[in-house]
Amino acid sequence: MKYAIGIDLGATTAKTGIITDTGKIVDYNLIASNTTDDEHLFINSLSDTITALCRKSNIDRGSIVGIGVGIPKGNFFGGTVEYAQNLTWGRDKVIPFANLLSRSTGIKCLLTNDANAAALGEMQFGVARGMSNFIEITLGTGVGAGVVVDGRLIYGANGMAGELGHCTVRPPDGKSRVCTCGRRDCLETYCSATGVALSGRLQALNTHSQTTLKHYKPEDITAKIVYEEALKGDIVSREIYREAGRLLGEAFAEFAVVFSPEAIVIFGGMAKAKDMFLPSLIDSFGQNFTEAYRLVPKILFSSLPEADAAILGAGSLVLI
Ligand SMILES: [Zn+2]
């Protein structure tokens, strides 16, 4: 049995797990990731966590093949974390994170961004098992993507390839939205949880139609609230998800033309709202993708439990 350490590192917590090469999580531990602005102190506490987990699970460090880390702004090339505004110790600098953690633990360490880690986990343990060409789209706070071509994640010249959430779409209402990346009308400004929440707020403020979204303070409206109101039958809320699905379908057709994937796999918190956006997504995908491109990719949802997927994906980095 081979073991790996998988770490899902986010703005507030770091979830560290020992996983097996069959995709089982032996044990895991959570620590806060935002209590210091010194990356060395944080890496030391991560290293202590790994030592404690191994001891508790009675697993010899020698049988661990490596540490894989999924982290926002993580660059596989060089194992760096670059200008990660959401990490208290990672702002405004480039940190050789993989090297530092490897030196501190004595175990090989690789890292990549969180969306790429999700794609690797899907390929190793999820619905993309056995596929050599697929795209994993993570619908969360943003829209992340991992693109696997010919069995390998694509990284491009600088490690940043496949950022499909930052492809632009035609704004549905003719007004544009500025993205965190500085461009206008990126897919994620409409189709992420943040984008759907913004659509909800704008509708609550501006629409002349009747909507239960007007019962909320606009700043309190989240993607979840829009979903709940849609479920209760609010037409305006339903239309927000329908529109997000339409834009996703249009974008998926573009991705399919470029990459010829066997499947596009949807993952992330927003996937829970699929009954509200999937019909329009499928419809718009069908209208925009023609059989001239021959292979019609399947549109699938991740089969990995969300809480485990990030650890499994990160660990996959060193297991593949
Ligand atoms: Zn963008």
Side-chain angles (χ1 to χ4, degrees):
M1 178 79 74
K2 280 200 294 187
Y3 296 98
I5 304 284
I7 303 177
D8 169 31
L9 218 170
T12 54
T13 56
K15 191 172 174 185
T16 302
I18 300 181
I19 70 166
T20 68
D21 53 2
T22 55
K24 189 168 161 281
I25 297 176
V26 178
D27 199 1
Y28 73 91
N29 193 357
L30 268 179
I31 60 169
S33 59
N34 57 355
T35 52
T36 174
D37 56 7
D38 180 338
E39 68 270 26
H40 297 280
L41 280 182
F42 175 69
I43 284 168
N44 283 346
S45 55
L46 209 49
S47 178
D48 292 344
T49 301
I50 292 168
T51 306
L53 263 179
C54 288
R55 195 174 302 142
K56 188 171 158 220
S57 312
N58 221 0
I59 289 170
D60 179 46
R61 285 162 64 110
S63 58
I64 289 179
V65 295
I67 302 169
V69 188
I71 182 169
K73 305 285 180 181
N75 191 332
F76 179 74
F77 292 170
T80 46
V81 178
E82 304 180 3
Y83 307 104
Q85 292 303 322
N86 292 335
L87 300 169
T88 49
W89 38 266
R91 293 180 187 133
D92 306 317
K93 54 187 164 182
V94 175
I95 298 170
F97 193 92
N99 266 341
L100 293 173
L101 185 59
S102 176
R103 216 179 297 156
S104 174
T105 56
I107 304 171
K108 176 182 89 170
C109 177
L110 296 174
L111 65 74
T112 193
N113 79 39
D114 42 352
N116 284 338
L120 286 176
E122 207 69 59
M123 182 160 68
Q124 188 86 335
F125 306 117
V127 288
R129 208 181 323 189
M131 289 186 196
S132 299
N133 293 278
F134 74 98
I135 298 170
E136 178 109 347
I137 297 288
T138 302
L139 299 178
T141 313
V143 173
V147 180
V148 173
V149 174
D150 299 335
R152 297 172 73 94
L153 255 177
I154 62 161
Y155 283 109
N158 69 349
M160 300 296 283
E163 291 280 350
L164 302 181
H166 295 281
C167 292
T168 54
V169 294
R170 281 173 289 176
D173 52 7
K175 294 181 188 142
S176 65
R177 293 184 184 179
V178 178
C179 182
T180 50
C181 74
R183 300 182 84 195
R184 283 179 180 276
D185 298 319
C186 291
L187 187 62
E188 79 168 35
T189 62
Y190 297 95
C191 301
S192 62
T194 316
V196 166
L198 178 58
S199 301
R201 283 171 210 157
L202 291 172
Q203 288 293 341
L205 285 168
N206 301 326
T207 187
H208 297 298
S209 308
Q210 270 200 335
T211 170
T212 48
L213 291 173
K214 288 184 188 280
H215 300 165
Y216 296 87
K217 278 192 208 157
E219 61 272 27
D220 291 345
I221 292 175
T222 60
K224 187 161 176 274
I225 286 175
V226 179
Y227 177 61
E228 285 163 359
E229 294 307 320
L231 273 184
K232 288 184 219 157
D234 182 55
I235 304 289
V236 168
S237 300
R238 287 189 170 212
E239 181 60 22
I240 289 172
Y241 272 101
R242 202 193 64 77
E243 189 60 29
R246 189 187 68 74
L247 290 170
L248 282 170
E250 223 176 86
F252 282 14
E254 300 289 307
F255 306 159
V257 170
V258 177
F259 297 108
S260 182
E262 292 165 67
I264 300 178
V265 183
I266 301 171
F267 172 70
M270 274 248 310
K272 291 191 194 90
K274 71 175 173 185
D275 48 338
M276 287 298 157
F277 68 78
L278 188 60
S280 59
L281 189 161
I282 303 254
D283 195 39
S284 125
F285 181 75
Q287 284 172 25
N288 287 283
F289 188 81
T290 81
E291 289 188 6
Y293 304 106
R294 293 177 192 272
L295 177 72
V296 182
K298 293 183 240 148
I299 295 181
L300 303 173
F301 283 82
S302 170
S303 60
L304 295 174
E306 203 189 338
D308 299 347
I311 287 185
L312 291 173
S316 301
L317 259 183
V318 289
L319 283 170
I320 289 174

